[in-house]
Amino acid sequence: MTTPFPFSAVVGQDDLRLALLLNAVSPQVGGVLVRGEKGTAKSTAVRALSALLPEVAVVPGCRFSCDPTAPDPSCPDGPHERGDGAARPARMVELPVGASEDRLVGALDIERALAEGVKAFEPGLLADAHRGILYVDEVNLLHDHLVDLLLDAAAMGASYVEREGVSVRHAARFLLVGTMNPEEGELRPQLLDRFGLTVEVAASREPEQRVEVVRRRLAYDDDPAGFAARWADEEAAVRQRIVAARESLPSVRLGDGALRQIAATCAAFEVDGMRADIVMARTATALAAWAGRTEVLAEDVRQAALLALPHRRRRNPFDAPGLDEDKLDETLEEFSGEGDGDGDGGRDDDPDPGPGGPGGGGQPGPEDGDGSASPEGGDGGEPRTSGAGAGEQSAVRAAEPFRTKVLSVPGIGTGAAGRRSRARTEQGRTIGARRPQGVLSKLHLAATVRAAAPHQRARGRSGAGLVVRRDDLRQAVREGRESNLVLFVVDASGSMAARQRMSAVKGAVLSLLLDAYQRRDKVGLVTFRGSAAEVALPPTSSVDAAAARLESLPTGGRTPLAAGLLKAHDVLRVERLRDPSRRALVVVVTDGRATGGPEPVALASRAARLLAAEEVASVVVDCESGPVRLGLAGRLAGELGGSAVTLDELRADAIAGLVRDVTSRRAA
């Protein structure tokens, strides 16, 4: 077994180390979520923590780590008698992102359960992690059905496995630690709230500190055991301090003044529910114990707020995490117990000093950046450029996002579990049965009994038991929802450059991005303007990144529609090789014009038919405005084999018929 990197040897990352140590002192704090860019020692620090945790006493031979002083009365390996037990190191169990449900909660031996009527249960990772650490690397990529199971176990402190009349329950109380790179997608709010603390980590920009990081890592890689031995004294000192803080924790006093500061802080930052107040109280108490004090001070409350509140203030995935420290200090000062305050409730009445919108107005002119009117028609009076240079207008802000209706891919897929299109999944309603392929996970009891029943006499059945063999077993076929790749192809040419129109377009795409986040989709962004198209964002699970690229998108120039469609075709081809089971939905946001180059309209038509020939589901968001409408976007949708919807209709019930339109066009 490889010697872990010593916790004490981690350079910098003070907040990360403090959050992990506070959970070691008081597991009731509720775990920690570590957010940050790749290569910042997130996983290294978490794995090193387990070596510092005190040993735990367990019932000998119990697979579920029961406490000998208070054994679980419903333990599958019980009942246990109270006793001294045996000590063992605290475990850190890693949950792989691609783990199955059976691997997480455990599995029943279905054949023995049916043939012998016994509960033959194989514990899963939740049982292994009981009274230890459950670590999930890339927790934001964890499948939804595993997230649901984690939420249930974290809420109840127990894991339940109930299948086909066989029920098993065991205790599952663990310290949940997750690491993630926000660029790869955000967490569901329900799981986010289950982490007691959160820290943001980034690589140091100080050359000397970066040199020390490299020096220590190279030394560790050359001789892990020798490197760990050189840090043994520091590790022992931290371990002893954790033990001392745990022993002093019950004697730490959390006074009414500190409680008022905690409650006022949570109210001032408008966090949902009461979990934040409880976590802050436990964190502040652990901070005092770690510092060797028996009284919680204002500085403990402040530090607890910085660790416990940032991830609870996010209302949607585009909200930047973090805490206004000036507002935090004002709130703590007001409720410091030295007076009743000035009655303003600590409200920040300073208006946003920034501009309400982009500065600098463009000059009116023709739509296309070359100064000539488009032969396909035009919307007069649109601004042409700003200081960004000829043919280009600086980025405008997106309008407020709104709730959209569901856009789905027709047919039934087999992709990753999500919330958009119909698919064959591990979760959902049962629609049939089949012979198992590999390990049996979802037994279809009725189909299994029907398969075994005709052979009972030939198998010499005697008595009430049903003789079941492997060939009789039937797997349940279930239908649920899958996530998709939603690829946005956005027209950023001069014909889209009017500020009001582009703001509405960005608001619509932002709304669809919010919908993609809620449905657990991957998203990608292709833009086209001037003479070419570019992949502004390769397919990713991070809608934050897509929103940021969209916000900074400038406009101007000609309209190379064909280049945009061909670039989308290339992106889909590559993604099909990477993830062949994930189906795509292409959302083209354009007014339908095609200019620049020889025969731009004919070339765009051929590119659209190329996508249609590969049966790529598509929707065209028609951005054409003005008193004269040419219907070019609708014509493009027909060539793509999809449907067109206007910006106004994106909010209306009319979108409910988009999928039917796509299907009917294909059938025709």
Side-chain angles (χ1 to χ4, degrees), residues 561-572:
L561 176 58
L565 297 177
L566 291 174
K567 183 66 71 175
H569 179 270
D570 291 342
V571 171
L572 294 178

Side-chain angles (χ1 to χ4, degrees), residues 194-281:
R194 285 294 174 184
F195 287 99
L197 310 179
T198 185
V199 291
E200 297 278 339
V201 296
S204 172
R205 298 298 182 257
E206 295 294 329
E208 290 303 318
Q209 195 171 69
R210 296 175 74 96
V211 167
E212 186 61 24
V213 169
V214 175
R215 181 182 292 121
R216 293 186 186 182
R217 187 69 210 189
L218 292 177
Y220 170 77
D221 290 341
D222 289 341
D223 183 10
F227 184 82
R230 291 194 292 273
W231 288 88
D233 291 342
E234 288 82 354
E235 291 285 275
V238 174
R239 191 179 298 109
Q240 292 172 2
R241 187 175 176 184
I242 291 173
V243 173
R246 279 192 174 188
E247 292 174 350
S248 66
L249 188 66
S251 62
V252 174
R253 179 178 176 271
L254 180 65
D256 289 343
L259 274 174
R260 279 194 296 270
Q261 287 183 317
I262 290 171
T265 300
C266 292
F269 286 100
E270 300 179 346
V271 297
D272 294 332
M274 295 297 298
R275 184 174 285 119
D277 303 63
I278 297 171
V279 171
M280 272 192 66

Side-chain angles (χ1 to χ4, degrees), residues 62-64 74-78 101-113 116-128 158-163 166-172:
C62 178
R63 298 175 297 166
F64 301 88
S74 61
C75 176
D77 284 355
E101 179 180 334
D102 287 344
R103 184 72 185 97
L104 178 62
V105 302
L108 295 169
D109 189 331
I110 300 297
E111 294 184 63
R112 291 189 63 194
E116 302 175 29
V118 297
K119 296 181 181 179
F121 182 71
E122 184 66 28
L125 295 177
L126 290 180
D128 293 341
S159 175
Y160 293 84
V161 181
E162 299 194 21
R163 293 178 184 171
V166 182
S167 177
V168 175
R169 175 212 173 273
H170 64 83

Side-chain angles (χ1 to χ4, degrees), residues 370-382:
D370 64 346
S372 60
S374 168
E376 284 80 23
D379 302 326
E382 296 181 358

Side-chain angles (χ1 to χ4, degrees), residues 42 51 63 114 263-264 311 321 352 355 373 444-445 454 555 562 584 654:
K42 300 188 297 293
R63 298 175 297 166
L114 286 174
H311 62 300
D352 181 8
H444 194 296
L445 182 58
T555 56

Side-chain angles (χ1 to χ4, degrees), residues 36 66 152 178 210-211 231 257 262 277 298 314 319 347 361 364-365 415 449 452 460 476 545 557 566 602 616 657:
C66 279
D152 290 342
R210 296 175 74 96
V211 167
W231 288 88
I262 290 171
D277 303 63
R314 304 192 79 188
D319 292 339
R347 190 184 305 275
V449 171
L566 291 174
V616 176

